[in-house]
Amino acid sequence: MKQAASEYGEFYQRDTSVQPPAYTPGYKTSVLRSPRNALISLQNSLSEITGPVFSKSELGPLDNDLIMNYAKDGLPIGERIIVHGYVLDENARPVRNALVEVWQANAGGRYRHKKDQYIAPIDPNFGGCGRMLTDANGYYVYRTIKPGPYPWRNRVNEWRPAHIHYSISGTGFAQRLVTQMYFEGDPLIASCPIVRTISDEEAIRRLVAPLDRNAFVQFDSRAYRFDVVLRGRRATPFEDYIQGAKQ
Amino acid sequence: MIDPAPTLKETASQTAGPYVHIGLAPKQAGFEIFEKNFSNVLVGPRTKGERIRIEGRVIDGSGTPLRDVLLEIWQANAAGRYNHPADRQAKPIDPTFRGWGRACSDFETGVYAFDTIKPGSVMGRRGRPMAPHINFWLVARGINLGLATRMYFSDETAANAKDPVLNLIEWEVRRKTLIAQREERRGKIVYRFDIRIQGPDETVFFDV
């Protein structure tokens, strides 16, 4: 049982140097949506080291195929790509059974969302979302259409680099993470105020997925590789501090 | 045992953006794509415990409710045990209760809601019981890193007074920002929990 105990130790304190602060005036919306008080630091209890567990039975067979999961009377328009990688923790261990959810604009840069008014057309065969669970190695893979860049309201003429949104739910609620994946070579990345909320250049580089030629599918798709790292856990047994725990 | 030094850096967070619903709640974005959807209803007909609704708004520094926020909650069952292998307290698991839900605020009113049960008390660190509480995590456009907080219950005055986490908050006046108010509406129990991101009554957020 000791093995199981250490598998679910407390999380390492978050390394805030690689994370964006809450208040980042270059990204204007953050100004009124950022707490002004310091966060209260909490030693992990059961409330933080535990988290929801998801099962395959909750997902459908096409949930990780964005090319097919909303295709009505044809295929979506755009560049066919595969995106794949590993969800690991800070100890470089695979995070198994992590729920990975992705969402994105279509090839023209338009989201299928009632609040998106951009002039680019909706693609009748593209929904723009998918989800999957990582396997025993922490591996995930999905197929999609490369999203287009699009304009947004910040400064007058602001364009987001092409990106795919990620939401990852690991093995504990304190690991919960949302982020965005960018594409190697996109010239809009460097000047994006949302990317620039992060000051650590290496941390930004890790959000940019390189083209992965070894995973190309002949006459079908190119591929991008994107690994995600969630917070790691301490090896120290935690149960010692909990009265009434079953040994 | 010596903790291994972390070898990889955590992936940087980026805002969930205005269209978070597409990925995490596509029905709310206005389309049907998945057969099974995650929801804000945590209970089934056989779930044990007192049925409650949690309702509130998330309010920005100008006093305006966020109409594009996404919230998740994680909680113990009525007996005070989390449905997770790391929780080995000697209490029953309720197989009908995962303890997790996801909700979006209404695009017009900004009101969010969860239908769940009131959790029991969970043992905290060093054998100090925690008052019943629900863990919250929220993301939205303009939020660079998801915000974590906890909701406690107004009818648990004695337990709240001894709660090790509430007592960590040095400023007693700020503790009340985590206490949801119990109301009875047409025979149903509703806890009102507004989250203020900024301003004089800014909610306490945790670095968990």
Side-chain angles (χ1 to χ4, degrees):
Chain A
M1 293 308 263
K2 276 291 170 201
Q3 189 57 41
S6 63
E7 194 180 335
Y8 294 115
E10 293 168 62
F11 288 106
Y12 295 133
Q13 181 174 309
R14 182 166 249 149
D15 179 355
T16 51
S17 71
V18 297
Q19 294 297 344
Y23 176 72
T24 48
Y27 173 30
K28 295 180 183 181
T29 317
S30 75
V31 172
L32 285 173
R33 293 183 171 200
S34 44
R36 285 295 173 271
N37 285 279
L39 303 180
I40 303 288
S41 292
L42 203 58
Q43 270 190 310
N44 283 182
S45 70
L46 280 175
S47 298
E48 288 76 35
I49 68 163
T50 59
V53 179
F54 299 95
S55 80
K56 276 212 165 76
S57 65
E58 297 177 89
L59 308 184
L62 290 180
D63 283 8
N64 70 335
D65 185 352
L66 285 75
I67 291 182
M68 294 307 293
N69 70 11
Y70 202 76
K72 302 294 179 196
D73 48 11
L75 293 172
I77 291 183
E79 300 174 34
R80 297 163 65 86
I81 58 169
I82 287 163
V83 184
H84 70 150
Y86 292 86
V87 179
L88 306 170
D89 69 14
E90 289 170 291
N91 298 314
R93 294 193 187 107
V95 181
R96 301 180 182 91
N97 207 53
L99 177 67
V100 178
E101 295 165 286
V102 295
W103 69 101
Q104 61 167 96
N106 67 24
R110 174 79 182 265
Y111 284 96
R112 182 175 288 281
H113 191 289
K114 51 177 137 180
K115 296 283 176 188
D116 188 356
Q117 303 298 322
Y118 180 39
I119 190 171
I122 288 278
D123 183 333
N125 296 307
F126 191 67
C129 62
R131 54 190 190 172
M132 62 225 93
L133 292 168
T134 56
D135 71 10
N137 298 314
Y139 182 74
Y140 74 90
V141 58
Y142 61 96
R143 186 161 81 141
T144 189
I145 294 296
K146 194 177 179 201
Y150 59 83
W152 61 297
R153 287 184 195 284
N154 192 55
R155 291 172 298 182
V156 170
N157 208 349
E158 203 89 85
W159 290 73
R160 290 302 320 281
H163 62 276
I164 299 179
H165 293 268
Y166 273 67
S167 159
I168 304 105
S169 188
T171 58
F173 204 49
Q175 259 178 340
R176 199 72 184 79
L177 183 74
V178 292
T179 189
Q180 300 179 29
M181 178 202 109
Y182 303 97
F183 294 87
E184 179 185 9
D186 188 335
L188 294 169
I189 295 171
S191 59
C192 174
I194 289 178
V195 173
R196 289 283 148 208
T197 60
I198 305 162
S199 56
D200 184 300
E201 290 297 331
E202 265 302 295
I204 292 175
R205 192 194 55 74
R206 288 192 296 269
L207 295 182
V208 182
L211 204 59
D212 184 1
R213 288 175 189 278
N214 291 336
F216 283 17
V217 179
Q218 205 177 11
F219 293 108
D220 185 328
S221 316
R222 282 143 56 238
Y224 286 88
R225 166 75 181 259
F226 185 61
D227 294 340
V228 175
V229 178
L230 301 181
R231 290 166 69 187
R233 291 179 186 264
R234 296 167 70 106
T236 322
F238 181 79
E239 269 80 348
D240 298 358
Y241 298 114
I242 299 175
Q243 233 170 36
K246 278 193 256 182
Q247 291 303 320
Chain B
M1 188 185 293
I2 296 167
D3 285 332
T7 54
L8 300 175
K9 297 280 193 186
E10 188 187 13
T11 298
S13 171
Q14 292 271 265
T15 179
Y19 307 125
V20 59
H21 318 91
I22 293 180
L24 304 187
K27 276 187 177 177
Q28 175 120 354
F31 65 108
E32 299 274 346
I33 185 161
F34 300 135
E35 202 176 307
K36 294 179 184 168
N37 289 279
F38 300 126
S39 92
N40 61 340
V41 178
L42 285 75
V43 289
R46 294 203 306 276
T47 305
K48 294 191 179 73
E50 182 188 19
R51 262 55 180 174
I52 63 168
R53 165 166 272 233
I54 301 166
E55 203 181 272
R57 295 173 305 165
V58 180
I59 298 160
D60 76 11
S62 77
T64 307
L66 273 62
R67 299 181 182 94
D68 53 10
V69 67
L70 180 131
L71 307 98
E72 288 182 1
I73 60 172
W74 169 241
Q75 66 168 100
N77 65 20
R81 181 165 173 181
Y82 287 103
N83 193 348
H84 185 278
D87 187 342
R88 296 199 268 154
Q89 297 177 94
K91 298 171 180 176
I93 287 279
D94 181 343
T96 71
F97 190 69
R98 171 155 56 191
W100 174 83
R102 176 182 280 173
C104 306
S105 58
D106 183 87
F107 287 152
E108 307 299 326
T109 62
V111 173
Y112 74 85
F114 289 99
D115 290 317
T116 183
I117 48 116
K118 193 175 168 193
S121 167
V122 173
M123 192 51 75
R125 294 180 70 95
R126 293 179 176 78
R128 290 180 67 193
M130 296 187 280
H133 66 276
I134 294 182
N135 307 289
F136 273 66
W137 175 82
L138 55 110
V139 291
R141 177 174 68 102
I143 296 176
N144 292 327
L145 178 65
L147 295 170
T149 188
R150 285 184 174 200
M151 184 196 109
Y152 288 82
F153 296 84
S154 64
D155 51 319
E156 295 282 349
T157 320
N160 290 345
K162 283 188 265 179
D163 180 79
V165 170
L166 286 173
N167 279 291
L168 259 185
I169 305 164
E170 182 185 338
W171 308 272
E172 279 177 56
V173 292
R174 299 200 65 209
R175 294 177 194 167
K176 68 175 191 299
T177 66
L178 302 186
I179 312 235
Q181 293 305 314
R182 185 181 175 103
E183 299 168 11
E184 212 176 307
R185 262 188 243 162
R186 294 184 291 278
K188 304 223 167 179
I189 302 301
V190 178
Y191 284 90
R192 182 86 199 174
F193 187 52
D194 286 338
I195 296 170
R196 291 184 170 76
I197 297 185
Q198 214 182 83
D201 293 315
E202 183 180 307
T203 297
V204 168
F205 296 103
F206 294 104
D207 165 24
V208 285

